[in-house]
Amino acid sequence: MNDIQLKKLLEKKETPLYVFDLEELRCRIQTLRRALPNHVNLCYAVKANTFILKEISELVDRFEICSPGELHICQRLWLPPEKFVISGVYKEPALMSQLIAQEGKIGAYTVESMTQFTILHEAAAAAKKRLRVFLRLTSGNQFGLDKTEIEGILAEYRDSSCLDIRGIQYFSGTQKASIKRLKRELTSVDLFLETLHGKYGYQAKELELGPGFPVSYFQGEPFDEESFLWQFSHLLNEMKFRGAITIELGRSIAASCGKYFTKIVDLKRNHSENYAIVDGGMHQLVYYGQFMAMKHPFVRHWSSHTAAEAKEQEWNICGSLCTANDILMKKVPLKNLQIGDILLFENTGAYCITEGISLFLSRDLPEVVLIKENGTTLTVRDHLQTEIFNTPLY
């Protein structure tokens, strides 16, 4: 959708507003598919943006689900359960038993602890089902299993009638732009898979990786993604592991399809500093790596007034929350800023809508609009009042 169409949309819609461009989403996935080796599958992290799940369903191979809420959303949208990867650091035993016992087959489950392994194994045995599982290898934090625990599981259960241990899952962070670091990680995982084969005769069928591809959120941070993806693909092709590989991505898939619109509602000058107050705020606009609003995201200023060319001034853009932390940008140069103008923030398709402190001050959640490939729009969430969640029951 071009700027003229977006401005017409804003004539009908209130701000703050999220807009997700489905054509851009499709193009982004096609770009990743072309850049990665042919044998690599894509898994979408549901937590990045739940409002594009139905539209993305046929474009990705799997969905990573990390909570009961995410699972229920996927089920209500009738997404294919064979694409579900039930992940997360905490798996409720009752829910796991229910999922495993029901008709139909969930794609796979991850094992992040010995407690989780026991829960899944016992539920599978009770239901007389054979589960597809991935053993998550820790990268040195609270997630996943140690190598010794994985070896212990394989030594005892690799031929279990209840478990189809597909392979290893490995995640080590996000916004990773260092090819050298990714090479070290892939080399380490590759060597571990060789060790498992040599010591236990276990040949992994699949490897699921969360490489944490970076997204360029801020101005002045150049990133040659084409070269980065080419080098990463070369690393995958160099691996000795020859099973199926799935790359799990969230922000790298969804970020570029999103735009966030917020309106200037007040202007002031305090202690020689210019301040612009918008009707949105930090509860709705979350950029990974933003540090006290000192970095400038990609933003466009749409003026609501026609006036002679004005001198550029530096403005601090602040949200509508009653906290000194609600600063979106500091000292951003803008011309002819006036009340009623719109600021359009780019690359807001991932996490902005799911990661903010949405209930703070009980402000409304913004409307969410999808732009279809034919240019038509679809509201998938109206403005939603939140005070009900903060109101006592008595």
Side-chain angles (χ1 to χ4, degrees):
M1 181 171 273
N2 58 38
D3 285 358
I4 294 176
Q5 292 170 312
L6 286 174
K7 288 180 179 179
K8 287 183 177 179
L9 176 65
L10 286 173
E11 292 174 0
K12 306 173 186 176
K13 301 292 183 181
E14 297 179 5
T15 57
L17 176 70
Y18 292 109
V19 175
F20 301 125
D21 190 327
L22 300 182
E23 182 177 5
E24 167 58 33
L25 178 63
R26 180 180 293 274
C27 289
R28 176 58 184 167
I29 293 174
Q30 289 173 346
T31 296
L32 290 168
R33 294 279 194 192
R34 287 194 299 266
L36 294 168
N38 292 333
H39 67 286
V40 171
N41 297 316
L42 284 180
C43 176
Y44 177 65
V46 170
K47 58 181 175 286
N49 185 338
T50 57
F51 290 95
I52 58 175
L53 290 174
K54 195 169 183 179
E55 287 69 27
I56 207 175
S57 179
E58 295 183 2
L59 304 179
V60 297
D61 304 292
R62 286 178 177 161
F63 293 100
E64 189 209 22
I65 297 169
C66 290
S67 74
E70 290 181 356
L71 173 63
H72 296 154
I73 291 170
C74 291
Q75 290 174 328
R76 281 197 290 268
L77 292 173
W78 295 100
L79 299 182
E82 62 270 16
K83 287 189 174 185
F84 295 178
V85 178
I86 306 300
S87 190
V89 70
Y90 171 51
K91 294 180 175 66
E92 290 84 342
L95 178 58
M96 294 302 104
S97 295
Q98 177 187 340
L99 275 179
I100 293 167
Q102 70 185 10
E103 293 296 325
K105 190 173 184 181
I106 297 293
Y109 297 78
T110 68
V111 176
E112 296 220 19
S113 70
M114 295 305 297
T115 300
Q116 285 190 9
F117 178 80
T118 300
I119 290 169
L120 295 175
H121 183 259
E122 290 181 351
K128 296 181 172 57
K129 296 283 187 70
R130 193 162 191 254
L131 297 190
R132 295 160 59 96
V133 298
F134 289 95
L135 305 180
R136 180 168 180 176
L137 173 63
T138 186
S139 60
N141 49 32
Q142 73 269 39
F143 304 107
L145 297 151
D146 282 333
K147 290 181 178 179
T148 54
E149 291 176 318
I150 291 177
E151 290 189 27
I153 289 173
L154 291 174
E156 186 172 354
Y157 295 98
R158 68 180 182 275
D159 298 321
S160 170
S161 60
C162 299
L163 301 174
D164 176 8
I165 303 176
R166 303 297 299 174
I168 299 298
Q169 184 189 58
Y170 184 78
F171 291 52
S172 63
T174 192
Q175 288 292 88
K176 292 186 294 185
S178 171
I179 287 293
K180 289 184 178 179
R181 176 182 173 184
L182 287 167
K183 182 177 182 178
R184 289 196 301 270
E185 293 174 355
L186 291 180
T187 300
S188 176
V189 171
D190 211 14
L191 180 60
F192 183 53
L193 289 171
E194 279 193 297
T195 299
L196 296 179
H197 183 251
K199 291 177 67 173
Y200 305 102
Y202 172 73
Q203 183 65 61
K205 304 177 187 71
E206 300 185 48
L207 173 62
E208 185 167 299
L209 292 169
F213 286 171
V215 170
S216 293
Y217 283 131
F218 305 111
Q219 301 175 39
E221 295 183 346
F223 173 60
D224 186 349
E225 185 182 58
E226 184 177 353
S227 174
F228 174 86
L229 290 175
W230 182 88
Q231 293 179 75
F232 180 77
S233 297
H234 183 66
L235 293 180
L236 293 181
N237 286 327
E238 283 188 324
M239 293 183 70
K240 295 180 180 178
F241 175 72
R242 284 294 175 261
I245 294 178
T246 298
I247 302 297
E248 183 271 325
L249 298 170
R251 71 181 73 245
S252 185
I253 288 176
S256 63
C257 80
K259 302 181 189 301
Y260 173 73
F261 297 86
T262 184
K263 183 183 295 183
I264 305 293
V265 294
D266 202 358
L267 299 173
K268 59 176 71 176
R269 185 171 176 82
N270 293 342
H271 292 281
S272 302
E273 294 270 346
N274 293 320
Y275 291 91
I277 309 300
V278 298
D279 58 1
M282 68 173 188
H283 55 317
Q284 297 166 357
L285 185 68
V286 182
Y287 285 113
Y288 186 93
Q290 179 76 311
F291 180 72
M292 294 300 292
M294 295 304 294
K295 296 180 180 180
H296 291 174
F298 296 96
V299 64
R300 284 188 279 164
H301 168 213
W302 286 356
S303 178
S304 59
H305 305 271
T306 56
E309 186 71 16
K311 182 180 178 181
E312 194 171 73
Q313 293 180 289
E314 289 187 341
W315 290 89
N316 299 311
I317 310 299
C318 303
S320 53
L321 301 182
C322 293
T323 168
N325 295 324
D326 193 9
I327 305 176
L328 302 183
M329 292 188 294
K330 289 182 178 179
K331 298 185 181 301
V332 57
L334 295 169
K335 292 181 180 179
N336 194 30
L337 195 65
Q338 299 188 44
I339 292 175
D341 289 359
I342 301 290
L343 296 181
L344 184 166
F345 288 84
E346 302 279 6
N347 294 335
T348 59
Y351 294 105
C352 280
I353 198 166
T354 56
E355 205 171 54
I357 49 174
S358 302
L359 298 184
F360 186 53
L361 283 183
S362 300
R363 289 198 172 271
D364 291 356
L365 294 177
E367 183 178 353
V368 179
V369 174
L370 301 184
I371 301 176
K372 297 184 178 181
E373 293 178 343
N374 62 5
T376 61
T377 61
L378 174 66
T379 294
V380 290
R381 184 182 76 190
D382 289 319
H383 278 272
L384 183 65
Q385 294 180 327
T386 65
E387 68 266 23
I388 186 174
F389 300 111
N390 290 336
T391 302
L393 291 176
Y394 56 86

